[in-house]
Amino acid sequence: MTAPLQAWLDGRLVPADACTIAADDPGFLWGDGVFETMLIRDGRPVALDLHLARLAASLDALDLPRPPFDLAAAVTSLAHTAPAAEHVLRLTVTARPTVLAQLRPLGERGLLRRQGLDLWTLDEVRGDTRLARHKSMAYAAQRVAARLHPAGRSPTFEGLWLDAAGFALEG
């Protein structure tokens, strides 16, 4: 993964390598937070209102505090720093709340995935937990499942998580 070009941290644009997160931040310690990942095309976020609505719904559902920042302004200001190509912006809100938005080029994996995915049903079943229904920062299970899967290192690998009833939760 290419390192972020710029970042927006708690109210200000900063060089990505200047970002610091407190060692006692619940997001860093326990993955206690949520995120949204969105496409930036020509310096503008795609479907920003939908992403922010889903993020707000997750904050409410998980009883996480609303950040004291205008998240739309944060995303827009960071998106405008992107060169003309497509980029990816990840907006993360931790339980503190710390707000971090990272910008990076779409990259090889994103471009390859446009041509198609290699979809695999993962062996593990995700329980019906509150976190299973939200884009939480608790992604260790997904990362480990991909690493341990025989095809997991392929840039087109996508693991499909099922719930106990066999319904797709996420990929």
Side-chain angles (χ1 to χ4, degrees), residues 10-96:
D10 289 341
R12 64 197 197 305
L13 281 173
V14 294
D17 59 1
C19 287
T20 56
I21 305 296
D24 65 344
D25 188 286
F28 173 75
L29 291 175
W30 304 295
D32 193 3
V34 294
F35 73 95
E36 279 293 316
T37 305
M38 58 197 83
L39 179 65
I40 305 300
R41 184 177 291 133
D42 297 323
R44 290 186 299 277
V46 174
L48 177 60
D49 291 342
L50 294 174
H51 284 288
L52 292 180
R54 182 166 58 181
L55 181 77
S58 291
L59 290 170
D60 291 345
L62 300 178
D63 196 28
L64 293 169
R66 294 281 182 113
F69 305 107
D70 180 348
L71 296 181
V75 168
T76 301
S77 66
L78 183 57
H80 287 314
T81 70
E86 291 181 320
H87 285 69
V88 174
L89 187 144
R90 177 176 160 146
L91 177 62
T92 304
V93 180
T94 73
R96 174 153 285 176

Side-chain angles (χ1 to χ4, degrees), residues 97-157:
T98 297
V99 178
L100 174 64
Q102 300 166 273
L103 182 68
R104 60 180 165 73
L106 186 57
E108 178 187 12
R109 179 176 168 94
L111 295 172
L112 281 173
R113 292 167 67 94
R114 285 186 173 175
Q115 298 170 18
L117 298 173
D118 296 321
L119 185 62
W120 297 82
T121 301
L122 298 172
D123 293 335
E124 294 181 39
V125 171
R126 294 223 13 217
D128 186 22
T129 68
R130 199 173 306 258
L131 289 179
R133 297 186 297 272
H134 300 280
K135 291 177 81 172
S136 78
M137 291 174 58
Y139 254 56
Q142 289 90 327
R143 307 251 328 159
V144 170
R147 268 198 312 269
L148 296 179
H149 193 279
R153 299 208 187 262
S154 165
T156 58
F157 172 83

